[in-house]
Amino acid sequence: MTSDLRDRKATLRSRLLASRRSLTAEVRALEAAALAAHVAALDVTPDQTVCAFLPVGSEPGDASWLDGLRCRVLLPIVTGDSPLDWAVHDGPSALAPAGFKLLEPTGPRLGASAIAGASLVLVPALAVSVDGVRIGKGQGHYDRSLPLVNAPLIGVVRDSEVLAEVPGEPHDVRMNGVLTPSVGLRWL
């Protein structure tokens, strides 16, 4: 990665994170409720698997959005520099604190390849461009996992985080859609 691209990404991440931190608790709660309603309306059947995540910090949404998924839900487990591991979400009582201020499922680990069986993947992002380029927090966890997927990838962002352009690299896996509080699911 060139230093110019690295600088552009760092500047964009800083701006997006500052904007997220400036949101009030009331705005975050309204967004979380809207996202939960949109997730409940997704076209998923009980026999399908959705890979999702539990929002942390200033990420849009909250744990309530998992309640609307009437299917098998897998949550990520961070495994260092390897692709994410996955485990079934069995409810709030089956979650434990983990690194990066995450909550992770305590059930059996299914391995990195479990994401390949998903019918839909909800992906955390700081922003997604209108042509699907996603920028995350820069640790590469999803960059190592998303190439294993052959299902729609949905970046979860705030409405203001769908941008005309996001600096990308050849290894970036493009999102097929975005899920935002105001619009819901929008295919790209």
Side-chain angles (χ1 to χ4, degrees), residues 106-164:
T106 57
R109 292 182 177 203
L110 304 175
S113 63
I115 194 172
S119 300
L120 182 73
V121 182
L122 299 174
V123 183
L126 289 174
V128 176
S129 68
V130 293
D131 63 348
V133 178
R134 169 191 167 271
I135 187 167
K137 292 183 180 175
Q139 300 298 314
H141 300 296
Y142 278 86
D143 291 330
R144 289 184 287 276
S145 298
L146 295 179
L148 304 172
V149 179
N150 189 22
L153 303 171
I154 309 301
V156 181
V157 293
R158 293 187 163 84
D159 299 277
S160 62
E161 297 167 345
V162 178
L163 306 177

Side-chain angles (χ1 to χ4, degrees), residues 65-119:
W65 71 350
L66 298 178
D67 299 338
L69 289 168
R70 304 283 182 236
C71 63
R72 180 176 183 239
V73 176
L74 302 183
L75 295 177
I77 298 171
V78 177
T79 56
D81 289 338
S82 301
L84 295 165
D85 201 338
W86 297 89
V88 174
H89 173 56
D90 287 324
S93 65
L95 295 170
F100 302 103
K101 299 181 182 177
L102 298 173
L103 289 174
E104 293 178 348
T106 57
R109 292 182 177 203
L110 304 175
S113 63
I115 194 172
S119 300

